[in-house]
Amino acid sequence: MSINAYDYVIIGSGVAGSTLAKELLEADNKTSILMLEAGPVVAMKDRRFWWDYVVSWKKPYTQCYDREGDNPSTGKTYWDSVGSRMMIQGGSTVHWGGWSMRFKPEDFAFYSKTGYGGDWPYGYDDLEKFYCRADRYLHVCGHDDGDPWRSEPYPMPAYPFLEADGEMIEAFEKLDIKPGHMPLARERRCMATGTCKYCPIGARFSGALVIDQLLADTRFSNFTLMSETPVLRLLNNGKKKEVNGVEYLDPQTGVPTSVFGERIVVCAGAYEVPKILKLSKSQHWKHGVGNDTDLVGRYPVSHLFLTATGTKPKNKERWIAEYDFPTLMSRTYDAPKYQENGKIFMMRTASTPDTDIARLMAQGKSRSEIDAVLTGPRQMQLSAFMEEFGQHKNYFDVGEGTTRFGLPRTEIHFDKLGDFDKRAKKNLDRMERVIRTMGYENVTTAIGTQAGHHTCSTARMGNDEKLGVVDEHLKVFGTNSVYVLSNAVLPNCAAVNPTLTLVALAFKLSDHLLGRGA
Amino acid sequence: MTTTNASLIGGDHCHQPLPSTLLPADPRPLTPEEIERLWQIFEAIGHAWENTVNDSVGLRSTWLEFVNLRAMTRPSYVVEYSNAIAVMDELFAIYGRDDAFKRLFFANGIPDGPPMTALAHAKQYVVNEFMSVQIASGGFRDFVAPKGDAQAQASFSINHRAYIAGSRYGRKKPVRAFGDDE
């Protein structure tokens, strides 16, 4: 092995890259892996950071988000990227809520059922065993209600419903909506601080913790992480199929530097993956690696956030936010018969009702004034993710200039489907009915700004290169050494957070790379 | 009584102009005397809002971790803490101890916006943060727990963001749970 040649070069240190690296290293401790991360390292489990968060709710990783202007929106629909993804060791799992839902069987045949987006090359049943591994790896706490089917129980019991969930559970039942426990990635050692955005003991899964463990493990002496190291492009080694080099910006010298790997795995998220592929032009790849059929960057989708909010005149139970995450959800409208309209995944908003007692004290409010606020009007909110339908005309492309991370800006061209608001209204009406059935008044509904929290599909899987950028094993069509492990490969975004599905894909890919199974 | 419409309290030290940002300092351990002076502020918060028992002693270890980390890691608060002690000295001298705390908490006359005086620094960087620590470490319970029913209070489970509620696998759920659901 030469000094700049590795078994694997992994681009990105988020949940995808960290999970894959761990699997490869556990299988063969001496596997040489270079992991390149554009963002910095921010300490996890730091008590000072935690207290800073408690007293000010400021997170120690705020500087790792996109800023206004980093990803110019050029379509008719404004796409907001600020606060949705992170450039940091551990990627977006540093800030995620740990919500860990599986896609449902109908999600794997999205194009066949809706005429939009894409179909997966395989079905839920094929991925189910990998979902089980993902559940165990992330320590998912949940309650099996049979939908979708699972071959193993959740590895950890669900968090209890809160008393403040009760009104909504009763309304759900009246409306024939099935209540469910939110599946969450929380380890047994959780101290229930309710500060999961910065956990003082690392009980919520984060890719950053996995990387820390890999770096500290003396068995894995050939594992190297380079942070603050943006990747510029992939390098073609003469023959078209042989794309086994990576050019990055050296963080010490600022000089473009090349490194080589037997296999390159791009785990850089749905924004960066298409740009890296498109920037990797050569005589064989005139439009970028894997882009002969102009699919790289197309079909971007995310989730629109829907809300229904109501008020009651009194909060006699003095309910406050006890956790920083929802405990009550429902997948009733995340079912095949709603797919044509756009399925939704509903949850009771954890921050309603709540009273910031310390803030009122800081404002000089007396005990009786604070008691009056605590027992005064109570707000309750039902939220939902609504799935979007991928369209070829939408795309992510390389924008002009670079961000402060040294990454090219992303041009985001996105037009919401013309009938989206009409379809969203049907879902909002369902949500409004819940809030009214709970006896709340002054009910308002809203569709949130198009944002990038769960962006998918920008280098999607397909059965051939006319349908996708990567094959069922996540290898880029036309190459023999480049893989993509990212939400970018999902042919659709379903109605739920995609992280658990991405982790399942990491296990599936690691088995493939290690020659395990069929 | 609220902070609005009150005239600015304190004297020359309190009114001393300062930049709004945290006062620069090298980390160092707090002296025992500084800790006790700062503890008086924390204790007074519990008295003023009547939400803690036994002079807040049950919250002292949590509070100690907080102030020690703030003093000994960057950015260090030791100069802010020294300033707060000097502010309290002046307020005690002018109003007497009890009235000084009452004015500081409820009628200080500090204008809204970034803290531009020694008094405003003491309020924002010390007093307000102590309030957050007090509520998060257990002070919230008295605001939320059932009133006038000792038995209900004793068996009352409630969580709050940043409260170390203990393992969620304990016999007693750390939250107000709905029904018997697990």
Side-chain angles (χ1 to χ4, degrees):
Chain A
M1 187 179 81
S2 77
I3 197 162
N4 67 344
Y6 294 80
D7 295 328
Y8 292 90
V9 177
I10 296 179
I11 303 170
S13 71
V15 66
S18 59
T19 304
L20 179 66
K22 182 172 165 54
E23 284 297 293
L24 296 172
L25 289 164
E26 293 285 0
D28 177 356
N29 298 173
K30 295 303 172 199
T31 304
S32 60
I33 298 176
L34 173 66
M35 181 174 278
L36 300 168
E37 167 56 53
V41 177
V42 174
M44 299 289 109
K45 300 191 284 186
D46 181 290
R47 295 287 295 192
R48 168 67 192 261
F49 280 170
W50 181 69
W51 274 117
D52 288 344
Y53 180 54
V54 169
V55 298
S56 67
W57 302 114
K58 284 181 188 159
K59 300 162 200 137
Y61 45 77
T62 309
Q63 75 278 12
C64 301
Y65 287 110
D66 285 306
R67 288 182 181 159
E68 204 67 54
D70 281 353
N71 306 297
S73 195
T74 58
K76 289 179 193 155
T77 306
Y78 176 70
W79 182 296
D80 186 6
S81 298
V82 177
S84 59
R85 65 176 191 136
M86 301 189 69
M87 274 58 68
I88 186 173
Q89 177 190 311
S92 297
T93 52
V94 168
H95 83 153
W96 78 315
W99 307 4
S100 301
M101 292 72 61
R102 297 179 175 196
F103 281 18
K104 289 190 169 184
E106 67 270 17
D107 295 323
F108 292 76
F110 190 73
Y111 176 77
S112 300
K113 290 173 184 294
T114 66
Y116 290 102
D119 285 343
W120 290 56
Y122 48 84
Y124 174 84
D125 293 3
D126 302 301
L127 198 61
E128 202 279 334
K129 66 180 177 184
F130 299 104
Y131 269 131
C132 291
R133 283 166 68 181
D135 282 339
R136 291 197 298 271
Y137 177 67
L138 299 178
H139 303 263
V140 178
C141 314
H143 177 79
D144 182 9
D145 65 0
D147 182 24
W149 74 269
R150 45 190 306 127
S151 60
E152 290 181 12
Y154 279 100
M156 307 248 285
Y159 279 72
F161 289 130
L162 297 175
E163 186 181 278
D165 292 328
E167 288 181 329
M168 196 172 281
I169 290 171
E170 288 162 4
F172 277 176
E173 286 166 350
K174 280 181 195 165
L175 295 168
D176 211 17
I177 297 169
K178 193 167 155 188
H181 291 271
M182 179 70 86
L184 295 156
R186 302 278 188 282
E187 290 187 356
R188 183 168 291 276
R189 60 187 169 165
C190 168
M191 298 192 303
T193 63
T195 54
C196 305
K197 294 282 190 289
Y198 195 83
C199 178
I201 58 168
R204 181 213 52 178
F205 176 89
S206 157
L209 296 168
V210 176
I211 302 283
D212 285 345
Q213 288 159 6
L214 296 180
L215 290 169
D217 196 320
T218 53
R219 293 176 300 159
F220 307 146
S221 53
N222 289 335
F223 174 66
T224 305
L225 169 75
M226 289 179 70
S227 59
E228 300 180 59
T229 306
V231 166
L232 304 175
R233 62 188 177 120
L234 308 182
L235 301 172
N236 193 203
N237 191 27
K239 293 177 184 168
K240 178 163 184 169
K241 280 178 174 275
E242 291 178 13
V243 181
N244 54 8
V246 174
E247 187 177 72
Y248 62 86
L249 209 55
D250 187 290
Q252 305 297 326
T253 64
V255 173
T257 305
S258 301
V259 68
F260 298 91
E262 287 291 313
R263 284 159 171 161
I264 312 295
V265 189
V266 189
C267 305
Y271 279 55
E272 301 308 320
V273 165
K275 290 185 296 179
I276 289 171
L277 295 178
K278 282 188 169 185
L279 285 167
S280 304
K281 291 177 182 166
S282 64
Q283 59 168 328
H284 299 300
W285 297 103
K286 295 200 183 320
H287 306 288
V289 168
N291 198 29
D292 285 352
T293 51
D294 188 26
L295 283 178
V296 171
R298 296 206 176 269
Y299 295 99
V301 281
S302 182
H303 288 133
L304 258 291
F305 203 59
L306 312 184
T307 55
T309 313
T311 310
K312 270 188 178 175
K314 291 286 175 198
N315 181 23
K316 63 182 169 55
E317 297 89 349
R318 297 175 183 241
W319 286 336
I320 57 171
E322 296 191 52
Y323 284 139
D324 191 25
F325 51 83
T327 41
L328 169 64
M329 62 88 176
S330 175
R331 302 190 75 173
T332 290
Y333 300 126
D334 178 10
K337 69 176 176 177
Y338 302 104
Q339 198 165 20
E340 205 173 340
N341 183 67
K343 301 194 297 179
I344 56 169
F345 168 67
M346 302 192 295
M347 73 290 305
R348 187 179 75 80
T349 305
S351 58
T352 61
D354 195 23
T355 300
D356 188 342
I357 300 169
R359 187 159 158 266
L360 294 171
M361 290 165 75
Q363 289 170 350
K365 303 295 182 196
S366 67
R367 174 70 198 232
S368 59
E369 287 172 322
I370 295 174
D371 282 338
V373 174
L374 267 166
T375 56
R378 170 158 91 207
Q379 198 177 65
M380 190 69 80
Q381 188 178 75
L382 178 61
S383 312
F385 296 149
M386 180 164 167
E387 67 177 337
E388 289 186 315
F389 299 168
Q391 304 175 79
H392 183 271
K393 68 173 184 174
N394 292 333
Y395 60 85
F396 280 22
D397 204 350
V398 180
E400 285 183 21
T402 55
T403 69
R404 66 193 187 286
F405 300 103
L407 298 169
R409 291 201 170 91
T410 314
E411 181 198 347
I412 298 178
H413 189 93
F414 185 83
D415 296 345
K416 205 161 55 172
L417 268 172
D419 66 344
F420 182 87
D421 288 358
K422 193 173 158 192
R423 290 184 288 108
K425 176 75 168 52
K426 283 187 191 170
N427 286 324
L428 287 168
D429 287 347
R430 293 177 178 121
M431 294 166 67
E432 181 176 344
R433 226 162 15 248
V434 173
I435 297 291
R436 290 200 184 282
T437 304
M438 292 165 69
Y440 283 75
E441 297 165 352
N442 305 317
V443 182
T444 58
T445 58
I447 303 174
T449 306
Q450 177 76 42
H453 291 84
H454 301 156
T455 307
C456 295
S457 304
T458 52
R460 65 187 196 173
M461 250 186 285
N463 281 319
D464 58 50
E465 61 186 334
K466 288 178 185 160
L467 293 172
V469 176
V470 300
D471 66 15
E472 64 174 311
H473 299 301
L474 308 185
K475 189 160 72 175
V476 175
F477 284 114
T479 74
N480 58 15
S481 52
V482 181
Y483 293 80
V484 176
L485 178 60
S486 156
N487 290 338
V489 303
L490 305 179
N492 57 315
C493 67
V496 296
N497 167 328
T499 304
L500 183 78
T501 300
L502 179 57
V503 175
L505 290 179
F507 285 111
K508 188 171 185 298
L509 175 59
S510 66
D511 275 12
H512 173 72
L513 295 173
L514 293 166
R516 291 172 174 159
Chain B
M1 206 164 16
T2 72
T3 57
T4 54
N5 302 322
S7 53
L8 190 64
I9 63 170
D12 290 346
H13 180 79
C14 287
H15 301 162
Q16 180 191 330
L18 291 174
S20 63
T21 50
L22 190 78
L23 301 172
D26 288 326
R28 67 162 172 81
L30 294 168
T31 66
E33 190 190 350
E34 285 172 323
I35 288 174
E36 291 316 310
R37 296 299 309 279
L38 293 168
W39 176 250
Q40 287 177 0
I41 300 173
F42 190 81
E43 210 176 35
I45 293 168
H47 293 156
W49 278 274
E50 300 172 348
N51 67 329
T52 57
V53 294
N54 300 328
D55 294 334
S56 305
V57 289
L59 311 183
R60 185 170 165 106
S61 61
T62 305
W63 174 82
L64 271 174
E65 187 207 33
F66 175 77
V67 290
N68 283 328
L69 280 171
R70 279 231 165 328
M72 291 195 283
T73 56
R74 292 184 189 279
S76 174
Y77 271 54
V78 289
V79 174
E80 291 290 352
Y81 287 161
S82 298
N83 171 65
I85 289 167
V87 163
M88 292 317 303
D89 281 343
E90 187 173 78
L91 293 179
F92 287 175
I94 298 172
Y95 306 110
R97 182 184 160 121
D98 289 350
D99 199 34
F101 279 125
K102 201 178 280 184
R103 286 172 188 261
L104 177 63
F105 295 153
F106 298 111
N108 49 51
I110 299 169
D112 291 339
M116 302 301 288
T117 61
L119 175 68
H121 266 256
K123 179 68 168 54
Q124 178 164 315
Y125 289 112
V126 183
V127 175
N128 290 0
E129 289 197 355
F130 283 6
M131 289 170 178
S132 292
V133 174
Q134 199 251 33
I135 289 298
S137 56
F140 70 95
R141 284 185 61 86
D142 192 76
F143 282 100
V144 186
K147 304 290 180 281
D149 181 344
Q151 198 177 356
Q153 269 187 334
S155 63
F156 187 63
S157 287
I158 178 77
N159 196 31
H160 184 275
R161 291 185 300 161
Y163 182 60
I164 305 290
S167 167
R168 66 190 182 87
Y169 296 100
R171 288 180 186 278
K172 194 174 169 186
K173 289 170 190 160
V175 291
R176 270 195 284 192
F178 174 71
D180 296 325
D181 185 86
E182 282 299 333

